[in-house]
Each structure stands twice: as structure tokens, then as C-alpha cells.
Amino acid sequence: MLETVKYLMGWRGPSGFGSKSTAEQVTEGCADLSSVTAIITGATSGIGAETARVLAKRGATLVLPARNLKAAEDTKARIISECPESHIIITSLDLSSLNSVKNFVNHFQSLDLPLNLLINNAGKFAHEHAVSEDGIEITFATNYLGHFLLTKLLLERMVETAKKTGIQGRIVNVTSGIHGWYSGDMISYLSLISCNKSDYDATRAYALSKLANLYHTTELARRLQQMEANVTVNCVHPGVVRTRLTREREGLLTDLVFFLGSKLLKTIPQAAATTCYVATHPSLLNVSNKFFCDCNEGYTSKLGCNSTEEAGLWAASELIISKGPKAAFDLLMNPQF
């Protein structure tokens, strides 16, 4: 109850910011970002678009990969109308496709740009069952597996950039408090819903993908520490906000639900604040493997800290990418794996 009151009042935590803080406010005291190159997924609308606008306003060079190139160009045009000096590159990426992720990374590498900041923001909530071209349930493929591969393929460039420039690299994974709603064996359920429509539950699938984002963050942080890389990784819960994530259920019922819950909703500038804070604030130098909400360090559910599950998901993800889902699931369902 107390936490809800604090949230509604916009109570400011130890960081000096809170639920009512905006992305512009949390970046006001940051250094000029003109030496920073950032990749932001899902920047064509909502939280991602606001994150891109604010980082461009602070001087960052932006690479905005998108499935819908027209929407990305529209985002770019809006940012440039406000910040004419912005440097923004638009390129194609469908996170649900592993081949598309590889093609994007190859294209990015050919640009010979540094990479200081990777914001894995794109998200999907599939109300109807669908499977990616690789044979993975579409929500998991988009929200987690595509970002896992993207980060894996870009990590060397991030480590090199940090070493050459002395600027600490930062990876921000956007998760959700809904991760705590998931229960059960992750790989078994993923295998089930990737093959069987009748077992699909949209909310459970979304919670699975968001828990996977959390596990990815923790395991990646451990590996970065072992590498002694000057790169941090943290995850954020942006809060409850109406974005295009609900686009498949627009209508009277959706409007009514959001109207009744309007006092709990954040505006998009408020929802983008935690991402921008974690991505840029100088107080978070060397801070890694943390979960942030309302621009302050928060707490995950009990499920959010399980070293065995984290390492297991990483190994499973590598197997799915290298062997394909069918062969990977066959091996993973074998107790001898």
C-alpha cells in the first residue's frame, strides 16, 4: 500500500527522481552525449521513440533499426525537426528473425561506427498465437531471443569501443514487472507453445519473455565481469503506460480498461525516464546487474534471481541459435543434456 501511495505521489527515491520524472528531467545533468553512439530497438513509437528523441537532444548519434522503415523515417523526421543537428541512421531489423538480426549486425559493422550504448527496448505482446520464421513462439522470439543474439553479436564492438575511448559501455534491457507472473519450466513451456497453439496463453508467454530478459541481464553481467570488460548491463521496468504494445486489442474495452486505470498510468515521457536514467546518468558508473524502476534500484520477484536458471537459459539460447529450435528442443528435453 505504501509503495502505491509513493508511486501516485511521484515520491523521489535516493536517485532524486521518481515515478513522475520525465526522460528530459533525468538527463538534464548528464554530460554532453556527442561522443556516444547508441542503438535503440523499438524506436518507432512509444517509449523507444521518446528515448531516441531525448538522447538525440543530448547529442548522441543514433542507430534506429526497425521492421517498419517508414515509421522509423517518420521518427527520424520528428527528431530532426526539433534537433536539426541530430545524426540518425535508419536500418532494417526484424527481431523475430535470427537471419535479420545477423544481417543488421553485418550492416552496422560495415558502417565502422563505435558503439557505446545498446538499448534493447522493442517489445511485442501477441494476443494470438504465432511462430517466427525460425520456429519460435513470436513473443519470445521478438522480446528475448532476437535481443539475445543482437547483444551477443554486438558485444565485441562495445568492448572494443570502451577500451579505445575510455567511455564505459552500457547495455539496457527493458523488462517488466510482469516477469513475476511466470511459473513453471521455461524451456518446456517455450517448446510447447512453439509447437502447439492450443497451449498458448498470451500473458504467460509475455511474462516468460520478460523473465528471460531479466535472466539474460544477470548472466551477461556475470560474463562481462569475468571478461573484465568496461561494459555494464542493467534492466529496467518502465512502468504501466499505454503504448502500441496494445495495438492488437484497440477498441472500446481496451479504452475502458485504460481509462479506469488512468491514475496508475505513466505518460510516455515518464515511462522513458528509467531507461534514459540507466543509459546516461553519471551516478551509475560501474553499476551493473541491477533492476531499476521509477529511476531507482528496485527488486525483482523471487523468480528473478536464480543462477541455475540463468545459466540454463543462456545455454539453451545458444543451442537454439546454433542448431535451430527443433533440434535444440529435442536435446533440451533429454534429461542427459
Side-chain angles (χ1 to χ4, degrees):
M1 181 64 179
L2 179 59
E3 293 302 314
T4 302
V5 172
K6 288 180 177 179
Y7 173 84
L8 291 173
M9 293 179 64
W11 178 80
R12 294 174 182 267
S15 69
F17 304 109
S19 62
K20 302 300 183 185
S21 300
T22 67
E24 286 202 28
Q25 290 169 344
V26 303
T27 57
E28 281 175 354
C30 296
D32 175 65
L33 299 181
S34 58
S35 58
V36 169
T37 299
I39 292 176
I40 307 171
T41 67
T44 57
S45 64
I47 295 169
E50 176 66 1
T51 300
R53 183 189 73 82
V54 171
L55 294 188
K57 187 172 183 177
R58 304 303 179 210
T61 295
L62 304 182
V63 178
L64 306 182
R67 185 179 56 172
N68 185 333
L69 294 178
K70 181 183 183 305
E73 290 291 352
D74 289 344
T75 297
K76 176 180 178 178
R78 288 193 298 270
I79 293 172
I80 289 179
S81 69
E82 180 181 348
C83 312
E85 302 302 315
S86 299
H87 184 202
I88 302 172
I89 298 169
I90 303 297
T91 186
S92 178
L93 171 63
D94 178 355
L95 279 163
S96 72
S97 163
L98 298 179
N99 190 54
S100 179
V101 173
K102 293 172 186 175
N103 288 340
F104 164 74
V105 172
N106 287 337
H107 177 65
F108 176 76
Q109 303 284 23
S110 73
L111 299 175
D112 199 28
L113 289 170
L115 181 58
N116 310 92
L117 180 57
L118 173 61
I119 300 179
N120 291 321
N121 165 81
K124 182 179 182 66
F125 188 113
H127 291 271
E128 302 297 330
H129 180 264
V131 175
S132 74
E133 65 180 42
D134 300 294
I136 298 292
E137 187 278 316
I138 198 73
T139 299
F140 190 89
T142 304
N143 295 358
Y144 167 72
L145 194 62
H147 282 128
F148 175 87
L149 180 59
L150 180 69
T151 304
K152 173 184 170 70
L153 297 179
L154 291 172
L155 195 58
E156 184 178 351
R157 177 60 58 90
M158 291 198 75
V159 172
E160 289 176 354
T161 298
K163 188 175 293 186
K164 288 179 181 178
T165 64
I167 301 173
Q168 189 169 76
R170 296 189 185 187
I171 300 169
V172 182
N173 288 334
V174 178
T175 182
S176 168
I178 289 176
H179 76 268
W181 295 13
Y182 184 78
S183 62
D185 182 88
M186 298 180 75
I187 302 304
S188 294
Y189 184 61
L190 175 62
S191 174
L192 194 65
I193 61 175
S194 292
C195 304
N196 194 338
K197 178 180 180 179
S198 63
D199 293 294
Y200 181 72
D201 178 275
T203 301
R204 191 178 184 207
Y206 183 74
L208 169 66
S209 72
K210 295 289 104 177
L211 181 59
N213 291 147
L214 197 61
Y215 284 174
H216 178 217
T217 301
T218 302
E219 182 64 15
L220 178 57
R222 186 183 67 79
R223 291 169 182 254
L224 287 168
Q225 186 177 39
Q226 287 181 338
M227 293 166 58
E228 298 184 346
N230 189 23
V231 177
T232 64
V233 57
N234 293 288
C235 58
V236 303
H237 167 50
V240 183
V241 60
R242 187 173 186 178
T243 68
R244 293 191 72 244
L245 198 65
T246 63
R247 58 187 171 268
E248 294 178 27
R249 279 293 184 272
E250 294 296 328
L252 181 60
L253 181 59
T254 301
D255 290 341
L256 179 61
V257 169
F258 277 101
F259 173 75
L260 293 174
S262 61
K263 294 299 182 183
L264 297 175
L265 293 179
K266 289 185 176 184
T267 64
I268 287 176
Q270 289 168 349
T274 304
T275 298
C276 289
Y277 172 73
V278 174
T280 66
H281 206 275
S283 68
L284 298 184
L285 184 69
N286 297 324
V287 174
S288 194
N289 193 21
K290 301 296 182 183
F291 173 81
F292 289 86
C293 57
D294 299 334
C295 303
N296 286 275
E297 188 177 339
Y299 299 95
T300 65
S301 71
K302 291 180 180 179
L303 288 171
C305 186
N306 187 321
S307 58
T308 301
E309 291 288 339
E310 291 153 5
L313 177 63
W314 188 287
S317 303
E318 294 274 21
L319 200 60
I320 291 170
I321 288 168
S322 63
K323 294 185 175 296
K326 186 178 185 306
F329 289 143
D330 286 344
L331 288 168
L332 291 165
M333 295 299 104
N334 185 335
Q336 295 181 345
F337 173 73

